[in-house]
Amino acid sequence: MADIDNIIKELKKDNKAHRVIQTEFVKFMENVGDPYLVLICCILSLRTNDKTTYPCSVRMLELGKTPSEISKLDVETLAKAIYPVGFYKNKAEQIIELSKILVEKYNSKVPKSIDELVKFKGVGRKTANLVMTKGFNIPAICVDVHVHRITNRIGYVKTKTPDETEMKLREILPKKYWIDFNTLLVTHGQNVCKPINPKCEICSIKKYCKTYLENF
């Protein structure tokens, strides 16, 4: 199994030394600290790259930053603000409806529970876990395509889907790493361990990577 302690150590060094670049959206999600904003901005990011998502998030938050404010928007106004994120009309409807439910049934408070969060239309485990870590600072494991790809490439897990990866990581990943794990691997995946043509020659963790060691 991959040496996860040293892998995390090296990835943190990369961030600290600015050998990798965090997107504006990743930086925003790291620092926003509001469960509701994390939730609705994460919904925007689904099937959309960070470069597109960030300015759309900024425009959305100029219209409102609370469930009460967003729930009062009409779909056309919000859809215009978040264009061109993928499925922007559907996401506008979803965010407004979700906001209304929060106001009416949850006293405008985002529930502090993954099981409760995934009851909302369009909110999967990835989004729910991100709300827990970035919104509530509660240990959880957010698995997106980068986390799924990299943990399999380095040989830390052997799974077929992101959901399988999350469940396996819950078993084996030390809890002290849970909150930072997604950000570290997303940043590494966006800069180095890309889906196609990964930059293994500059990778700081290649000596711990099963795929690299088996092929070079």
Side-chain angles (χ1 to χ4, degrees), residues 31 38 98 137 167:
N31 296 306
V38 172
L98 182 153
N137 200 37
M167 297 309 163

Side-chain angles (χ1 to χ4, degrees), residues 186-203:
V186 167
T187 303
H188 188 67
Q190 291 174 337
N191 287 270
V192 182
C193 195
K194 298 186 176 185
I196 301 173
N197 299 322
K199 300 178 181 179
C200 297
E201 68 279 4
I202 64 169
C203 180

Side-chain angles (χ1 to χ4, degrees), residues 5-203:
D5 294 306
N6 278 316
I7 286 171
I8 295 293
K9 184 178 179 180
E10 290 298 328
L11 294 179
K12 285 183 175 181
K13 281 183 183 178
D14 287 348
N15 277 0
K16 190 173 182 180
H18 304 292
R19 286 192 288 266
V20 292
I21 300 172
Q22 289 184 342
T23 66
E24 291 301 316
F25 184 68
V26 169
K27 291 178 184 177
F28 170 76
M29 294 294 272
E30 279 288 286
N31 296 306
V32 65
D34 182 313
Y36 176 67
L37 300 186
V38 172
L39 176 58
I40 61 175
C41 290
C42 188
I43 290 171
L44 286 194
S45 74
L46 300 175
R47 299 188 182 182
T48 306
N49 64 48
D50 286 2
K51 186 176 180 181
T52 299
T53 302
Y54 179 67
C56 293
S57 297
V58 172
R59 290 196 298 271
M60 175 175 65
L61 299 185
E62 288 174 349
L63 298 175
K65 295 184 179 180
T66 67
S68 177
E69 291 171 342
I70 296 294
S71 68
K72 294 171 184 174
L73 297 175
D74 61 82
V75 173
E76 184 178 345
T77 297
L78 183 54
K80 183 178 179 180
I82 65 176
Y83 177 83
V85 298
F87 307 98
Y88 64 97
K89 290 184 180 179
N90 290 338
K91 288 178 180 178
E93 292 177 356
Q94 179 188 343
I95 288 169
I96 291 172
E97 181 61 27
L98 182 153
S99 300
K100 289 179 179 178
I101 293 172
L102 287 175
V103 171
E104 295 168 2
K105 297 184 179 181
Y106 294 87
N107 195 29
S108 295
K109 303 292 184 183
V110 175
K112 198 183 294 187
S113 161
I114 290 175
D115 291 340
E116 200 68 24
L117 284 165
V118 295
K119 292 179 182 178
F120 292 108
K121 182 180 178 182
V123 176
R125 292 194 63 86
K126 169 193 165 183
T127 298
N129 276 288
L130 196 65
V131 171
M132 298 302 287
T133 58
K134 305 307 178 188
F136 291 112
N137 200 37
I138 293 174
I141 301 176
C142 176
V143 176
D144 64 357
V145 291
H146 297 292
V147 175
H148 176 61
R149 178 178 72 254
I150 295 170
T151 51
N152 274 274
R153 276 183 178 172
I154 64 177
Y156 193 54
V157 301
K158 188 176 181 180
T159 53
K160 294 182 179 179
T161 67
D163 282 351
E164 285 183 20
T165 299
E166 181 200 334
M167 297 309 163
K168 187 61 180 177
L169 289 173
R170 284 181 174 274
E171 294 176 11
I172 63 175
L173 181 66
K175 205 163 189 175
K176 63 183 178 180
Y177 297 138
W178 285 20
I179 289 179
D180 295 330
F181 198 66
N182 177 266
T183 299
L184 289 171
L185 268 67
V186 167
T187 303
H188 188 67
Q190 291 174 337
N191 287 270
V192 182
C193 195
K194 298 186 176 185
I196 301 173
N197 299 322
K199 300 178 181 179
C200 297
E201 68 279 4
I202 64 169
C203 180

